[in-house]
Amino acid sequence: MAMDNEEVALATCNLFQAVYDSLSGADSRVYGKEEALVLDSSKDLKTILLKLLDMIVNKKVSGHGRDQALNLLSRNVPRKTKKDSDHSKSLFTIDHGLKKILKVCGQVPELPDQLPMTENTQLIASVLLNKLYDDLRCDPERDNYRDICDEYIKSKFDPNDMDKNIHAMNTLSGLMQGPYDVGNMLVGRQGVMEMMVALCGSEREVDQLVAIEALIHASTKMSRASFIITNGVSLLKDIYKKTKNERIKIRALVGLCKLGSAGGDDYSMRQFAEGSTEKLAKQCRKWLCNPTLDVRTRKWAIEGLAYLTNDADVKDDFVEDEPAMRAMFELAKSKDKTILYAVACTLVNCTNSYEKKEIIPEMVQLAKFSKQHVPEQHPKDKKDFIERRVKRLLKAGVISALAIMVKADSSILTDQTKEMLARVFLALADDPKDRGTIVAQGGGKALIPLALEGTDNGKIKACHALAKIAATSNPEIAFPGERIYEVVRPLVSLLNTERDGIQNYESLVSLTNLAALNDKLRVKILKEKALPEIENYMFEEHEQIRQAATECMCNLVCCKEVQERYLEDGNDKLKLLILLCGEDDEKLQIAAAGGLAMITAAEKKLCVKMTKVTEQWLEILQRLCIHDNPQIQHRGIVIIFNMLEADAELAKKLMETEILEILTYIAKMEDNPKKQGGIDAARACLSKAMDLGLIKPFTQ
């Protein structure tokens, strides 16, 4: 794994993972009748962890090998879920290896005698630090983690050794990209911010590079940004204007970009003068489109845009610049995956898909009265501007870039990045006209992993985007092959009372489309325990949700298991279906009558049962048969035919009612293409009644 060959290092990492899974019991595959049992593998597992921790600080290990060692630690040390009781591996790793991970974070490739690294190494180390911190369960454990980091940073600050100082600064940068709370606490230590500002003024290029990057990461907090606006803006402007080194120039620009966006999308909280942010963004776009610059330098141009696109003027200018958008998408597909977070941020800003708090007019008036600050919306953040930006992004090929980004290794593609990608997909899928483009460019396939992994909020957004696509597209085209079965679980997860009504509705519509395809899919929907939820929504007061649930049930009744549920005594499922046939909403009537027609054709016992569950059955059937809508009328007459076929006594009872007159009237009607289904069904009913001897042909 230490070899300087990416493919060999990755293959060895996969082998190591198989060994680890086998020893830890995570591999649940069956290998035959005889199994070799290791009674206690904990010692072996700890040995592996120690070796991996030694490996990440070994100079003989290549950058690719170091990345894979960090990946193995990320996959196997933190608990998979918070419910797991064993987090001893995290404590073991922190006690034996936290300083080693911090050492990797602090490596500065420009200095001599450094560990071999790739573009992604620091970010992978930061992700591991974050996962270890998140896995801790109590304050004493978190305090211990912070103390180790604090001690490590303090030990590196040395007024006589500039190399050690910038190592400490780079370590802080790594922490602020990982467990931000820890990094933020350490940056707040006396003298740290002053040291950053002082290093920015150093004559040595590497000092300026590291200090400006640390300053950029530190100014995420508004309080820190205020300090730097006061103490560092003029310094960054001087560096930007005076230096001829593009690498330093672009980082200084990003520092200015970040400080300029400290007010977020609040129009009234602009940090710089009108037009300044647009000038900064223009320069970022210019660097982004410059193919002579290396990928790492162009990456910083995207970082700048990630901050500046909080400004609606900037995002509007950016989507009008198609070469800049295409350049960003091409960089997102490159090997340097540290770019992904900045690209995702930029896209979230351009589509306005970030979380927005609902503004209550009364609260705004109260805030103004009490002289509190009230956020203002930029005129270009209104719906029609957002829709225009979405169209431009789709035209520039954003979907293919997103599809490649989703495939990135989980050590780089953090849960937060996945959530942002899911938000972007949901914004892009808002207009039904655009969903065909999303499907054609692989968006449906890319959404499935986002719907299954990541933050709860991110998974909900991805599931909702899947529901939008499956609701209006042919599911067999959107999710070809076996992938169509993977979509069911995400869609069912939206059938929850905690979800929004629109999410419930679009999930039901998409499940209706899936249930219409084949019995295997219907069984899959039942296995995911969707049936009770669908039945609950058939009682929903909201007309569209109730209609969608009834349509879904209409397609599911073809399934044997569903029919058996209707046969069970002691439930009102059949009664509900009959009563829904009597509602005034025509679409609801079509769905309910269609379901009743199909289920009574499949299960003859239900024909007799429906006369016992409610006294209104005959009145509702008559209303169906005389309905003006030919579709409803046809379904009602088919139900009558099923009842005539099911039981002789029931058939006799029916022919003694007004049903006979209604059927006779319809059967005598002239052939009419619009009503032909009902006319033919009425003639079939009368023919069946004659066969049973209940009526005789009329002769003059």
PDB file of all heavy atoms in Angstrom, residues 89-102:
ATOM      1  N   LYS A  89     -12.715   2.050  19.740  1.00  0.00           N
ATOM      2  CA  LYS A  89     -11.708   2.241  18.679  1.00  0.00           C
ATOM      3  C   LYS A  89     -11.386   3.722  18.523  1.00  0.00           C
ATOM      4  O   LYS A  89     -10.239   4.096  18.287  1.00  0.00           O
ATOM      5  CB  LYS A  89     -12.226   1.669  17.348  1.00  0.00           C
ATOM      6  CG  LYS A  89     -12.328   0.157  17.322  1.00  0.00           C
ATOM      7  CD  LYS A  89     -12.840  -0.336  15.988  1.00  0.00           C
ATOM      8  CE  LYS A  89     -14.289  -0.018  15.770  1.00  0.00           C
ATOM      9  NZ  LYS A  89     -14.835  -0.523  14.507  1.00  0.00           N
ATOM     10  N   SER A  90     -12.426   4.583  18.663  1.00  0.00           N
ATOM     11  CA  SER A  90     -12.196   6.024  18.541  1.00  0.00           C
ATOM     12  C   SER A  90     -11.266   6.512  19.646  1.00  0.00           C
ATOM     13  O   SER A  90     -10.308   7.241  19.399  1.00  0.00           O
ATOM     14  CB  SER A  90     -13.516   6.785  18.632  1.00  0.00           C
ATOM     15  OG  SER A  90     -14.265   6.599  17.465  1.00  0.00           O
ATOM     16  N   LEU A  91     -11.565   6.098  20.892  1.00  0.00           N
ATOM     17  CA  LEU A  91     -10.739   6.519  22.025  1.00  0.00           C
ATOM     18  C   LEU A  91      -9.318   5.997  21.879  1.00  0.00           C
ATOM     19  O   LEU A  91      -8.349   6.703  22.158  1.00  0.00           O
ATOM     20  CB  LEU A  91     -11.363   6.020  23.333  1.00  0.00           C
ATOM     21  CG  LEU A  91     -12.787   6.525  23.632  1.00  0.00           C
ATOM     22  CD1 LEU A  91     -13.316   5.901  24.902  1.00  0.00           C
ATOM     23  CD2 LEU A  91     -12.807   8.041  23.741  1.00  0.00           C
ATOM     24  N   PHE A  92      -9.205   4.740  21.423  1.00  0.00           N
ATOM     25  CA  PHE A  92      -7.888   4.112  21.218  1.00  0.00           C
ATOM     26  C   PHE A  92      -7.090   4.906  20.178  1.00  0.00           C
ATOM     27  O   PHE A  92      -5.912   5.208  20.371  1.00  0.00           O
ATOM     28  CB  PHE A  92      -8.094   2.657  20.754  1.00  0.00           C
ATOM     29  CG  PHE A  92      -6.817   1.914  20.484  1.00  0.00           C
ATOM     30  CD1 PHE A  92      -6.093   1.346  21.526  1.00  0.00           C
ATOM     31  CD2 PHE A  92      -6.327   1.781  19.195  1.00  0.00           C
ATOM     32  CE1 PHE A  92      -4.906   0.659  21.279  1.00  0.00           C
ATOM     33  CE2 PHE A  92      -5.152   1.106  18.935  1.00  0.00           C
ATOM     34  CZ  PHE A  92      -4.441   0.535  19.984  1.00  0.00           C
ATOM     35  N   THR A  93      -7.767   5.277  19.082  1.00  0.00           N
ATOM     36  CA  THR A  93      -7.089   6.020  18.004  1.00  0.00           C
ATOM     37  C   THR A  93      -6.686   7.415  18.471  1.00  0.00           C
ATOM     38  O   THR A  93      -5.588   7.887  18.169  1.00  0.00           O
ATOM     39  CB  THR A  93      -8.020   6.129  16.781  1.00  0.00           C
ATOM     40  OG1 THR A  93      -8.425   4.801  16.397  1.00  0.00           O
ATOM     41  CG2 THR A  93      -7.323   6.782  15.607  1.00  0.00           C
ATOM     42  N   ILE A  94      -7.574   8.088  19.221  1.00  0.00           N
ATOM     43  CA  ILE A  94      -7.268   9.438  19.705  1.00  0.00           C
ATOM     44  C   ILE A  94      -6.062   9.409  20.651  1.00  0.00           C
ATOM     45  O   ILE A  94      -5.149  10.221  20.545  1.00  0.00           O
ATOM     46  CB  ILE A  94      -8.513  10.063  20.382  1.00  0.00           C
ATOM     47  CG1 ILE A  94      -9.546  10.419  19.304  1.00  0.00           C
ATOM     48  CG2 ILE A  94      -8.152  11.298  21.203  1.00  0.00           C
ATOM     49  CD1 ILE A  94     -10.931  10.680  19.822  1.00  0.00           C
ATOM     50  N   ASP A  95      -6.057   8.440  21.575  1.00  0.00           N
ATOM     51  CA  ASP A  95      -4.950   8.352  22.534  1.00  0.00           C
ATOM     52  C   ASP A  95      -3.627   8.002  21.863  1.00  0.00           C
ATOM     53  O   ASP A  95      -2.574   8.468  22.285  1.00  0.00           O
ATOM     54  CB  ASP A  95      -5.275   7.316  23.617  1.00  0.00           C
ATOM     55  CG  ASP A  95      -6.401   7.794  24.534  1.00  0.00           C
ATOM     56  OD1 ASP A  95      -6.623   9.017  24.584  1.00  0.00           O
ATOM     57  OD2 ASP A  95      -7.069   6.960  25.165  1.00  0.00           O
ATOM     58  N   HIS A  96      -3.684   7.143  20.830  1.00  0.00           N
ATOM     59  CA  HIS A  96      -2.443   6.652  20.225  1.00  0.00           C
ATOM     60  C   HIS A  96      -2.056   7.360  18.925  1.00  0.00           C
ATOM     61  O   HIS A  96      -0.920   7.197  18.465  1.00  0.00           O
ATOM     62  CB  HIS A  96      -2.549   5.141  19.944  1.00  0.00           C
ATOM     63  CG  HIS A  96      -2.554   4.308  21.180  1.00  0.00           C
ATOM     64  ND1 HIS A  96      -3.686   4.127  21.937  1.00  0.00           N
ATOM     65  CD2 HIS A  96      -1.560   3.623  21.807  1.00  0.00           C
ATOM     66  CE1 HIS A  96      -3.405   3.349  22.977  1.00  0.00           C
ATOM     67  NE2 HIS A  96      -2.125   3.035  22.924  1.00  0.00           N
ATOM     68  N   GLY A  97      -3.001   8.110  18.326  1.00  0.00           N
ATOM     69  CA  GLY A  97      -2.677   8.607  16.988  1.00  0.00           C
ATOM     70  C   GLY A  97      -3.154   9.987  16.622  1.00  0.00           C
ATOM     71  O   GLY A  97      -2.919  10.445  15.507  1.00  0.00           O
ATOM     72  N   LEU A  98      -3.828  10.712  17.555  1.00  0.00           N
ATOM     73  CA  LEU A  98      -4.373  12.023  17.184  1.00  0.00           C
ATOM     74  C   LEU A  98      -3.249  12.979  16.754  1.00  0.00           C
ATOM     75  O   LEU A  98      -3.377  13.710  15.771  1.00  0.00           O
ATOM     76  CB  LEU A  98      -5.174  12.613  18.345  1.00  0.00           C
ATOM     77  CG  LEU A  98      -5.899  13.933  18.080  1.00  0.00           C
ATOM     78  CD1 LEU A  98      -6.762  13.861  16.831  1.00  0.00           C
ATOM     79  CD2 LEU A  98      -6.748  14.340  19.274  1.00  0.00           C
ATOM     80  N   LYS A  99      -2.145  12.948  17.472  1.00  0.00           N
ATOM     81  CA  LYS A  99      -1.024  13.843  17.127  1.00  0.00           C
ATOM     82  C   LYS A  99      -0.437  13.489  15.761  1.00  0.00           C
ATOM     83  O   LYS A  99       0.031  14.371  15.036  1.00  0.00           O
ATOM     84  CB  LYS A  99       0.059  13.777  18.207  1.00  0.00           C
ATOM     85  CG  LYS A  99      -0.354  14.456  19.510  1.00  0.00           C
ATOM     86  CD  LYS A  99       0.771  14.473  20.527  1.00  0.00           C
ATOM     87  CE  LYS A  99       0.337  15.195  21.796  1.00  0.00           C
ATOM     88  NZ  LYS A  99       1.402  15.221  22.814  1.00  0.00           N
ATOM     89  N   LYS A 100      -0.478  12.206  15.410  1.00  0.00           N
ATOM     90  CA  LYS A 100       0.044  11.781  14.101  1.00  0.00           C
ATOM     91  C   LYS A 100      -0.852  12.317  12.974  1.00  0.00           C
ATOM     92  O   LYS A 100      -0.362  12.756  11.929  1.00  0.00           O
ATOM     93  CB  LYS A 100       0.129  10.258  14.034  1.00  0.00           C
ATOM     94  CG  LYS A 100       1.175   9.686  14.990  1.00  0.00           C
ATOM     95  CD  LYS A 100       1.180   8.171  14.973  1.00  0.00           C
ATOM     96  CE  LYS A 100       2.240   7.644  15.947  1.00  0.00           C
ATOM     97  NZ  LYS A 100       2.249   6.183  16.044  1.00  0.00           N
ATOM     98  N   ILE A 101      -2.173  12.279  13.206  1.00  0.00           N
ATOM     99  CA  ILE A 101      -3.107  12.803  12.190  1.00  0.00           C
ATOM    100  C   ILE A 101      -2.921  14.312  12.065  1.00  0.00           C
ATOM    101  O   ILE A 101      -2.929  14.863  10.956  1.00  0.00           O
ATOM    102  CB  ILE A 101      -4.572  12.456  12.554  1.00  0.00           C
ATOM    103  CG1 ILE A 101      -4.746  10.943  12.742  1.00  0.00           C
ATOM    104  CG2 ILE A 101      -5.526  12.934  11.459  1.00  0.00           C
ATOM    105  CD1 ILE A 101      -6.056  10.534  13.398  1.00  0.00           C
ATOM    106  N   LEU A 102      -2.718  14.991  13.215  1.00  0.00           N
ATOM    107  CA  LEU A 102      -2.477  16.438  13.191  1.00  0.00           C
ATOM    108  C   LEU A 102      -1.187  16.763  12.443  1.00  0.00           C
ATOM    109  O   LEU A 102      -1.107  17.773  11.739  1.00  0.00           O
ATOM    110  CB  LEU A 102      -2.404  16.986  14.626  1.00  0.00           C
ATOM    111  CG  LEU A 102      -3.726  16.980  15.416  1.00  0.00           C
ATOM    112  CD1 LEU A 102      -3.472  17.310  16.874  1.00  0.00           C
ATOM    113  CD2 LEU A 102      -4.743  17.944  14.826  1.00  0.00           C
TER     114      LEU A 102
END
